[in-house]
């Protein structure tokens, strides 16, 4: 009770809503992502499940993140338990959403390393917590080394990149959702 154990998340409707919000055609998304129009159509109609890499390409083309698309794929609920057991095993590198649905907050668990060269910039604030291992985060021209139990807070709009510096690293990222206008006008401060 309270657990969502139904079918896997279906991201097609979330991809279509985002594309239409941006007033983009499938052809434009295909060009930006490097994926074919027929494949994108199959994704939108839930006839194909994109790989993690393909979902990231689609998300980049739609100026969002894979986590945002996955979060928008499942209707919101007031209480939800996301259990670790029974989930697909996290092979390194991997990311697992810790919150399902279209909520004001997102949380993800990153295991192992990922594309350390990829730069991130989120519109809203986020907090990174190192559950195990160690990471190095580069933000605003400085490098920060974090170990187990350390946190780093990033104000919305700060460009950053990070990488695991030891194996078996687990990082929890909690952020205000991109669809929420949580950024205040910092020029007035």
């Amino acid at each position: 009770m309270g657990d969502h154990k139904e079918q896997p998340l279906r991201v097609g409707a979330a991809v279509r809503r985002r594309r239409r919000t941006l007033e983009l055609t499938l052809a434009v998304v295909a060009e930006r992502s490097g994926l074919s129009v027929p494949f994108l159509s199959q994704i939108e109609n839930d006839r194909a499940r994109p790989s993690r890499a393909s979902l990231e390409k689609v998300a980049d083309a739609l100026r969002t993140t894979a986590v945002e698309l996955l979060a928008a794929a499942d209707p919101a609920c007031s209480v939800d338990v996301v259990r670790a057991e029974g989930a697909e095993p996290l092979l390194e590198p991997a990311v697992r959403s810790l919150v399902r649905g279209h909520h004001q907050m997102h949380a993800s668990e990153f295991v192992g390393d990922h594309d350390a060269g990829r730069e991130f910039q989120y519109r809203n604030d986020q907090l990174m917590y190192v559950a195990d291992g160690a990471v190095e985060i580069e933000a605003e021209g400085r490098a920060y080394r974090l170990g187990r139990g350390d946190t780093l807070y990033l104000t919305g709009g700060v460009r950053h990149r990070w990488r695991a510096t030891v194996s078996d690293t687990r990082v929890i990222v909690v952020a205000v959702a991109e669809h929420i206008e949580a950024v205040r006008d910092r020029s007035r401060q």
Side-chain angles (χ1 to χ4, degrees):
M1 206 163 114
D3 290 355
H4 286 264
K5 294 184 178 180
E6 63 272 3
Q7 307 94 349
L9 290 178
R10 299 167 84 182
V11 299
V15 170
R16 183 184 302 107
R17 278 191 306 273
R18 178 69 180 173
R19 178 178 62 79
R20 287 180 176 168
T21 297
L22 296 173
E23 299 178 355
L24 300 175
T25 64
L26 280 173
V28 170
V29 176
E31 183 180 326
R32 288 182 180 179
S33 67
L35 302 172
S36 71
V37 170
F39 181 59
L40 290 170
S41 177
Q42 288 177 342
I43 290 171
E44 284 193 0
N45 292 299
D46 288 317
R47 288 191 304 253
R49 289 183 61 199
S51 67
R52 186 176 133 214
S54 292
L55 187 58
E56 287 179 359
K57 288 178 182 179
V58 171
D60 287 345
L62 296 173
R63 296 184 183 107
T64 189
T65 65
V67 171
E68 287 286 332
L69 289 175
L70 289 170
D74 199 17
C77 56
S78 58
V79 176
D80 190 16
V81 176
V82 179
R83 300 206 183 271
E85 72 270 359
E88 294 182 27
L90 290 179
L91 304 173
E92 292 188 25
V95 62
R96 175 174 75 106
S97 182
L98 302 175
V99 177
R100 290 184 287 227
H102 200 64
H103 297 287
Q104 295 182 12
M105 179 200 74
H106 290 289
S108 300
E109 174 185 30
F110 292 84
V111 177
D113 212 345
H114 67 287
D115 182 2
R118 184 172 181 195
E119 185 173 71
F120 297 92
Q121 181 181 26
Y122 298 102
R123 186 174 75 186
N124 294 325
D125 299 355
Q126 78 177 88
L127 177 83
M128 298 178 78
Y129 170 75
V130 181
D132 284 311
V135 297
E136 184 174 88
I137 302 168
E138 185 182 314
E140 296 188 321
R142 293 186 58 198
Y144 302 89
R145 296 175 197 268
L146 283 79
R148 184 176 183 202
D150 291 342
T151 62
L152 179 87
Y153 176 84
L154 294 163
T155 300
V158 172
R159 292 184 183 277
H160 63 284
R161 68 182 86 227
W162 67 275
R163 67 181 182 89
T165 57
V166 298
S167 60
D168 299 326
T169 292
R170 285 181 39 232
V171 176
I172 309 297
V173 176
V174 179
V176 175
E178 288 290 306
H179 68 277
I180 303 297
E181 189 60 48
V183 176
R184 43 179 204 268
D185 187 357
R186 288 179 172 74
S187 64
R188 294 183 188 178
Q189 294 179 351

